[in-house]
Amino acid sequence: MTGDLEPGIVLAATPIGNVGDASARLREALAGAEVVAAEDTRRLRDLASRLGVEVTGRLVAVHDHNEADRADALIAAASEGATVLVVSDAGMPTVSDPGFRIVEAAAAAGVPVTVLPGPSAALTALALSGLPTDRFCFEGFPPRKAGERASAFAALAAEPRTMVFFEAPHRLAATLAAMAEAWGGDRPAAVSRELTKTYEETRRGPLATLAAWAEAESPRGEIVITVGGRPAQAAGMDAVVAEALARVAAGERAKDAVADLAATAGLPRRELYAAVLEARNGSAST
């Protein structure tokens, strides 16, 4: 390997859209690595061509379906002194892309691992979102099935950090609607698509508004959803449940009281309604 890279596993970020974002170190690694493990070898060759780089090392396809099987051979090559470059189609390997099993195996075998930093769709969208960036979490792709997706979002109802998700364009509207149902339609969010590309766009607004936009417009391209965490000023669940019970005792319908209090306190309506029902049933049995 030429340059300052040592033998071992090298994770390299590739452009997420604009080829001009490729780093000089990525170009050097593509030209000099003895082995290049790529998610899609055809896309890798196209990238190299656009960068004016000739890949001279052995090219190996490593994707979700074969990474576990290929990891041992790649680790063996690195152990014998080869520089093994690992790249995904776009962005950083291991982040919703292949690479994790290779790093896991390398760590277990004591093989050096280094990273060539670069573009990241998750961080780019977070920076564009206008939402708090001091604390955030990356949740990857939500479950595809509606029931599993609802359960996953319910588990995140109390998450105070900004949340970042990837999503396919044909599921965007349904996912935003499910988020609005789980966390409230007023929760601030942003949808970024085609980052660094010609038609890059970021839409910001409440989840309900974004869900309606996605349903009407059917936006295309690579999608990142960023959602604000549960507001710090949200009232505690116990206090809100107690207020709901008092309003119900005064004659108000439980669903009406819950809908109003959930919006005011910044609590998920479904979670609050379940807590109110549990509290009512508990009081009735004593």
Side-chain angles (χ1 to χ4, degrees):
M1 174 72 192
T2 59
D4 62 354
L5 292 175
E6 299 294 330
I9 301 296
V10 180
L11 305 176
T14 54
I16 59 176
N18 192 322
V19 72
D21 292 334
S23 70
R25 296 181 72 197
L26 172 63
R27 296 169 188 264
E28 178 186 339
L30 286 171
E34 287 85 3
V35 180
V36 178
E39 185 177 5
D40 186 318
T41 57
R42 291 173 297 180
R43 291 191 180 186
L44 188 280
R45 289 191 184 279
D46 178 66
L47 173 62
S49 176
R50 287 184 289 153
L51 293 174
V53 173
E54 181 182 359
V55 178
T56 59
R58 178 165 59 92
L59 199 55
V60 180
V62 177
H63 44 73
D64 288 336
H65 302 294
N66 71 2
E67 183 182 357
D69 295 332
R70 297 263 167 106
D72 288 345
L74 295 174
I75 299 307
S79 298
E80 294 168 3
T83 295
V84 178
L85 179 67
V86 180
V87 295
S88 60
D89 289 344
M92 178 61 67
T94 77
V95 181
S96 282
D97 278 326
F100 166 72
R101 291 181 177 86
I102 295 172
V103 175
E104 183 181 41
V111 171
V113 180
T114 190
V115 172
L116 308 187
S120 165
L123 293 180
T124 302
L126 176 66
L128 285 168
S129 69
L131 296 169
T133 59
D134 54 336
R135 297 181 67 214
F136 64 91
C137 59
F138 175 66
E139 293 293 328
F141 284 90
R144 297 184 180 186
K145 296 181 178 179
E148 295 176 2
R149 185 169 56 213
S151 296
F153 291 163
L156 292 169
E159 175 56 65
R161 298 171 294 180
T162 298
M163 298 172 283
V164 182
F165 300 84
F166 289 162
E167 188 52 289
H170 62 279
R171 290 194 295 270
L172 177 61
T175 292
L176 289 170
M179 288 176 169
E181 174 68 20
W183 306 326
D186 291 337
R187 182 77 69 93
V191 175
S192 296
R193 68 182 191 92
E194 295 293 86
L195 291 169
T196 78
K197 300 177 184 177
T198 302
Y199 299 105
E200 175 182 311
E201 177 184 23
T202 293
R203 292 254 180 171
R204 306 173 186 87
L207 279 170
T209 301
L210 292 174
W213 161 74
E215 181 67 31
E217 300 294 333
S218 299
R220 297 180 176 275
E222 302 291 332
I223 302 286
V224 185
I225 305 171
T226 312
V227 185
R230 178 175 171 177
Q233 68 272 21
M237 180 67 78
D238 290 344
V240 179
V241 168
E243 183 175 351
L245 291 174
R247 288 170 60 164
V248 170
E252 188 172 353
R253 292 178 65 237
K255 287 187 177 180
D256 294 338
V258 165
D260 180 50
L261 289 170
T264 302
L267 293 170
R269 184 171 58 185
R270 182 178 298 175
E271 181 181 343
L272 177 57
Y273 187 66
V276 169
L277 290 182
E278 182 179 357
R280 287 180 66 185
N281 292 337
S283 298
S285 62
T286 58

